[in-house]
Amino acid sequence: MADHQDQQDHDAESDTSSFSDTELKEKAEKAQKDEGSDSDHELRMSFSQKFDLDAPVINHLKKLDEQVMIAFVNGRSGGQLGQKVLKRFQKLLGEDRVYDLMEKPIGPEKGLQKWLHHKNLKVIAAGGDGTVGWILSVFDKMGFPKGDYPAVAILPLGTGNDMSRILRWGGGYSGGDLGAFINRIKDESVPIKLDRWKLKCVPLTPEEIEQMDKEYYEATGKKKKPKKIEKTDKEQTPQEIDMVFNNYFSVGIGAQIIEDFDSFRNKHPGWITSRAVGKGWYGALSFRRMCKPGTPVKNVVTAVLDGKQLYLSSKVRELTVLNIPSIMGGADVWGKYSDTKRQQFPPTINDNHFELVGVKGVSHMARLKAGVSVHGGMRVGQGKVLELRNRKSVNAQVDGEALLIPPCKITVLLHNQATLLLNTHGDKGSKQKKKLVGR
């Protein structure tokens, strides 16, 4: 059965011809229509009042004196919606409690400094996963009393919104009563801890790269192609990379699609006018990548998990470190927790462990995204420390942001924990809490 499925993957990737920008635009428009019918990925708060910037301040907004609540809004997220949300929050919370992250001085530091010493401080992050990560990273520098970080709730204005999805704030805000949203944070949310992971990349020396090349070609029997040597100056010398991720980190074909999308967006900035259009273009560019199955990760990368050498399957085209059970806008690539294959214990987001999983290609990725892959991704294992060495530059993504990593020793290890707010409204709130934190 597995061989048959792999053959289907190969056929799907091999039979797809390249697409022009015009053909891609047609596919994007079709994907946009399909996206509009997928109500499960939108934030449906079932609030009676629709979003109306000119409506009076909502009467049922409860006093926030005992809980200081501030909001950081990425005004560039969600098309024009970001600015409307900003103005509405200013009416509901007060202008002194609402900050535009893109207004100079850029970032959340100014607002956090003002409210640093208030007890029970709650922060609303209105934006995408990148906005959430930005705010949490600034927390690291602020020196909060006793090291207790404020609890963060999310109003999802980005594209993937994976953190918001698992915390039950929805896959994308498209309008609703923000006063009721604030009250839900106050009365129907609970704080939970989230592991955060440090990613450190130290450039390999020329001797280390040469040794890795030698071992690879000896193991495969392939002949090394002559390499043109170019002189580099100090500005071109690879630098160390030191960053933190909250959702996931991956190397391989998925990261190449992210890079394709970023390049396309920069080339045609006027073509992406909304979240749905962006998803359509992302899907269309993924089709183009089907023509290029990609290099097996094992051909470029060696991996050591908790001190043990890993032998990756040649089918793996993307290797992903998971911290939360949602990537690519809602895909659970680890699969059902009842399946104990290569699973020491059911994953949680606060257990100081990550999950390592492989993806076989773009068509496999598409099935995972659609939720029709029976066994999920290719599980590799669970661990606390991962060491990768890449003998060539590799495409990577950190919480959905593209990154090109030169030949490096890449280390993933625990950074700290943050506090986020889980929406407990409805019957599924307690069930989701148990899934995320084990109780």
Side-chain angles (χ1 to χ4, degrees), residues 43-62:
L43 181 57
R44 306 299 184 191
M45 294 190 229
S46 66
F47 299 156
S48 58
Q49 181 177 331
K50 278 292 182 182
F51 182 86
D52 181 0
L53 180 61
D54 298 320
V57 175
I58 298 165
N59 293 328
H60 64 259
L61 181 62
K62 299 176 182 178

Side-chain angles (χ1 to χ4, degrees), residues 110-390:
K110 179 180 177 181
L112 290 173
Q113 285 287 359
K114 181 176 180 178
W115 302 98
L116 182 66
H117 296 287
H118 285 263
K119 294 181 179 179
N120 302 318
L121 177 63
K122 288 183 170 62
V123 172
I124 298 173
D129 289 330
T131 300
V132 177
W134 186 5
I135 293 171
L136 294 181
S137 293
V138 172
F139 283 0
D140 291 338
K141 308 172 185 176
M142 295 300 297
F144 284 95
K146 299 180 181 179
D148 294 331
Y149 289 179
V152 178
I154 304 169
L155 185 73
L157 300 179
T159 303
N161 301 311
D162 287 296
M163 187 67 73
S164 176
R165 290 171 191 272
I166 69 162
L167 296 173
R168 301 187 70 243
W169 298 112
Y173 176 76
S174 58
D177 184 342
L178 292 180
F181 168 73
I182 292 171
N183 283 336
R184 187 158 296 172
I185 294 172
K186 183 178 181 298
D187 298 327
E188 295 185 277
S189 68
V190 295
I192 60 175
K193 292 295 184 181
L194 171 78
D195 293 334
R196 302 176 67 227
W197 297 89
K198 180 180 286 293
L199 175 69
K200 189 174 182 64
C201 306
V202 179
L204 297 176
T205 65
E207 292 76 19
E208 289 174 318
I209 298 171
E210 184 177 353
Q211 180 60 30
M212 286 189 70
D213 282 346
K214 180 180 177 182
E215 292 172 358
Y216 169 73
Y217 288 111
E218 286 179 352
T220 60
K222 295 180 180 179
K223 291 185 178 181
K224 185 175 181 179
K225 296 180 180 179
K227 184 178 180 181
K228 184 179 179 181
I229 301 176
E230 297 181 356
K231 292 183 178 181
T232 59
D233 56 32
K234 291 183 179 180
E235 292 183 351
Q236 295 173 310
T237 301
Q239 301 296 311
E240 289 190 12
I241 299 171
D242 197 347
M243 54 197 310
V244 175
F245 67 92
N246 307 296
N247 298 11
Y248 65 96
F249 160 70
S250 68
V251 295
I253 196 166
Q256 292 171 347
I257 296 172
I258 292 287
E259 185 180 25
D260 291 346
F261 179 74
D262 287 345
S263 297
F264 184 84
R265 181 168 50 185
N266 292 333
K267 183 180 178 182
H268 305 288
W271 288 20
I272 300 176
T273 55
S274 69
R275 183 191 301 121
V277 172
K279 287 184 177 182
W281 278 114
Y282 185 89
L285 292 166
S286 297
F287 275 107
R288 176 179 279 181
R289 270 289 168 188
M290 280 188 175
C291 306
K292 307 171 184 177
T295 302
V297 172
K298 66 176 292 185
N299 287 7
V300 181
V301 175
T302 62
V304 176
L305 179 63
D306 288 345
K308 296 181 180 179
Q309 183 74 42
L310 298 178
Y311 297 94
L312 300 174
S313 167
S314 59
K315 297 177 183 177
V316 174
R317 296 298 193 273
E318 172 146 307
L319 187 65
T320 302
V321 180
L322 296 172
N323 187 43
I324 64 173
S326 177
I327 67 171
M328 299 183 293
D332 184 357
V333 299
W334 184 253
K336 295 180 179 178
Y337 295 180
S338 57
D339 180 2
T340 58
K341 181 180 179 182
R342 296 187 180 179
Q343 178 177 284
Q344 304 171 49
F345 41 79
T348 64
I349 64 172
N350 65 346
D351 58 9
N352 297 168
H353 286 75
F354 54 76
E355 283 64 54
L356 190 62
V357 63
V359 177
K360 291 183 282 188
V362 176
S363 58
H364 186 202
M365 194 178 294
R367 294 200 308 277
L368 290 168
K369 169 93 169 110
V372 297
S373 181
V374 178
H375 301 294
M378 299 178 67
R379 291 182 180 180
V380 178
Q382 295 169 293
K384 291 185 173 184
V385 180
L386 177 67
E387 293 183 3
L388 305 176
R389 287 176 180 258
N390 53 302

